[in-house]
Amino acid sequence: MSKVKVVLDADVIIHFAKGGYLSVLPTILNEYDHIVLDIVYDELRGDVRTQLDNQMTFLKNIQLVSFEATGEMMYEYFRLLENKGKGESACLAYCRYTNNVIGSSNLRDTSDYCNRYGIVYLTTIDFLYYAVSRNLMNSDEAVGFIAEVRNKGSILPDVDFGKIQSELGAII
């Protein structure tokens, strides 16, 4: 039986690259393999793509996978393209027919679809939550991450990771 994969969409990769934590991303949920579909990879440019290339070459904790859809998956991909981007469409179709997890913060394009078809999805904030709860980042680092990503032009919500960390401490 193969390991469940986290299929990373461009926005999560971009957030973690901008925040300076791309190398940490696959270690947050290290019980899963982390992959990037070639269609998503083709959307990445500049420093983000360079960081991802270096990570795939040297750390080898994210794998590039060809989107080789056939049959229903291919039909679904083309249907999704009618109102979604190539990367989101590929990730959604792939996860629907392979029972994997999607990593995407583009909730406008993904959440209804994932809920309809029972696809587990994780946003950048979900990854940060797990990083804090697993002591891979502290709450100040998570807040700093959000500030850095915002300073570089991306949109992320405010989250009180200090409160989350104190509540986790009370549980443990």
Side-chain angles (χ1 to χ4, degrees):
M1 184 172 190
S2 68
K3 215 173 175 183
V4 172
K5 296 169 183 59
V6 175
V7 182
L8 298 168
D9 197 7
D11 56 347
V12 171
I13 295 167
I14 291 166
H15 291 157
F16 275 85
K18 286 181 176 181
Y21 281 85
L22 185 59
S23 63
V24 175
L25 176 59
T27 69
I28 296 169
L29 296 171
N30 65 356
E31 61 270 28
Y32 299 100
D33 290 331
H34 291 68
I35 67 168
V36 176
L37 298 175
D38 56 353
I39 291 173
V40 172
Y41 178 81
D42 291 343
E43 294 178 337
L44 300 171
R45 302 280 181 260
D47 183 52
V48 172
R49 186 156 170 171
T50 301
Q51 286 184 52
L52 182 60
D53 286 341
N54 288 337
Q55 184 150 342
M56 290 188 301
T57 301
F58 299 111
L59 297 179
K60 299 180 191 296
N61 57 6
I62 297 177
Q63 296 174 329
L64 182 62
V65 173
S66 294
F67 181 65
E68 297 176 355
T70 59
E72 289 181 324
M73 188 188 303
M74 184 58 78
Y75 173 79
E76 188 68 2
Y77 170 69
F78 284 113
R79 190 182 73 73
L80 288 165
L81 277 176
E82 293 174 8
N83 60 13
K84 299 180 187 337
K86 289 180 180 180
E88 287 89 7
S89 297
C91 289
L92 290 169
Y94 185 88
C95 288
R96 178 175 176 193
Y97 290 99
T98 61
N99 297 314
N100 288 299
V101 174
I102 185 171
S104 175
S105 286
N106 188 348
L107 295 178
R108 183 183 62 241
D109 284 347
T110 60
S111 63
D112 287 344
Y113 185 89
C114 289
N115 291 331
R116 184 176 328 126
Y117 294 106
I119 300 167
V120 175
Y121 59 93
L122 299 166
T123 66
T124 297
I125 298 302
D126 294 321
F127 283 107
L128 291 175
Y129 166 81
Y130 284 113
V132 170
S133 68
R134 292 177 174 197
N135 295 316
L136 297 170
M137 294 172 83
N138 63 42
S139 59
D140 291 337
E141 290 170 320
V143 170
F145 172 96
I146 290 172
E148 183 68 20
V149 172
R150 284 179 171 170
N151 286 338
K152 293 181 178 174
S154 291
I155 299 170
L156 288 175
D158 286 321
V159 178
D160 187 348
F161 286 102
K163 182 177 179 184
I164 291 170
Q165 200 165 32
S166 67
E167 288 175 0
L168 287 170
I171 295 169
I172 296 174

